[in-house]
Amino acid sequence: MNKKDPNPIDAFVGSRVRMRRLMIGLSQEKLADGLGITFQQVQKYEKGTNRIGASRLQAIADILGVHPSFFFQQDEGSAQSGKPAADVHESQEISSFVASKEGIALNRAFLKITDPVLRKKIISLVAAMAQTPESDQTHAPSGTRPAESLHG
């Protein structure tokens, strides 16, 4: 690790701050105001460039409505789970996407779809568009095309 590279733990905690902030629709400016700091400092926290002290992390947790342990929770694909490096990298990519504005918007919209068949068809469609195999093996019935009607 280069001396200028963020510590992976600081970057992970920062990504969790960003994810939660976006989940509740709070801007960096509003979070910064609540903390009495500049939005640039919040940016540095979220990127992992600057470390978040314990008291500041508690204040962030209070503003974002979570317990401080939320910022350390890792998915099953974390480095500590003993999974291969490729799986850990993919998990980090997924976490980064889920923490993005697009990822949060996509998840919110997808969660509003209650029909499990329609959900599977959407996954099949997106996988076909990406030209990649579906990750959870939820294939459309044999003989169907990805471009078929989502309601049929």
Side-chain angles (χ1 to χ4, degrees):
M1 180 169 71
N2 185 340
K3 188 172 184 177
K4 297 203 180 226
D5 289 339
N7 180 294
I9 295 170
D10 296 331
F12 180 80
V13 169
S15 74
R16 298 284 291 179
V17 169
R18 177 178 170 76
M19 179 178 69
R20 178 62 184 166
R21 179 182 59 74
L22 292 173
M23 284 173 63
I24 65 172
L26 191 68
S27 69
Q28 288 180 330
E29 291 84 4
K30 293 284 185 192
L31 179 56
D33 288 346
L35 296 170
I37 59 175
T38 65
F39 80 91
Q40 291 95 336
Q41 183 64 36
V42 171
Q43 287 177 331
K44 290 177 182 180
Y45 286 156
E46 290 182 355
K47 290 179 182 177
T49 306
N50 287 6
R51 290 186 176 158
I52 305 172
S55 60
R56 180 65 46 89
L57 189 64
Q58 180 65 57
I60 292 170
D62 291 344
I63 292 169
L64 299 181
V66 293
H67 190 273
S69 65
F70 170 86
F71 303 114
F72 297 96
Q73 294 172 348
Q74 296 184 354
D75 297 331
E76 292 177 14
S78 70
Q80 296 176 353
S81 68
K83 295 201 175 192
D87 289 349
V88 172
H89 179 70
E90 181 180 17
S91 177
Q92 290 170 341
E93 285 180 340
I94 291 169
S95 293
S96 294
F97 172 71
V98 170
S100 72
K101 288 180 182 180
E102 295 87 2
I104 290 170
L106 183 62
N107 278 299
R108 282 183 177 154
F110 190 79
L111 289 173
K112 290 179 182 177
I113 300 169
T114 57
D115 181 357
V117 174
L118 181 56
R119 282 183 173 207
K120 286 181 181 181
K121 288 183 177 186
I122 291 170
I123 292 168
S124 294
L125 175 64
V126 172
M129 290 171 69
Q131 298 178 336
T132 61
E134 296 167 18
S135 61
D136 66 348
Q137 306 302 317
T138 56
H139 297 288
S142 178
T144 60
R145 296 186 335 253
E148 76 178 20
S149 168
L150 292 176
H151 297 289

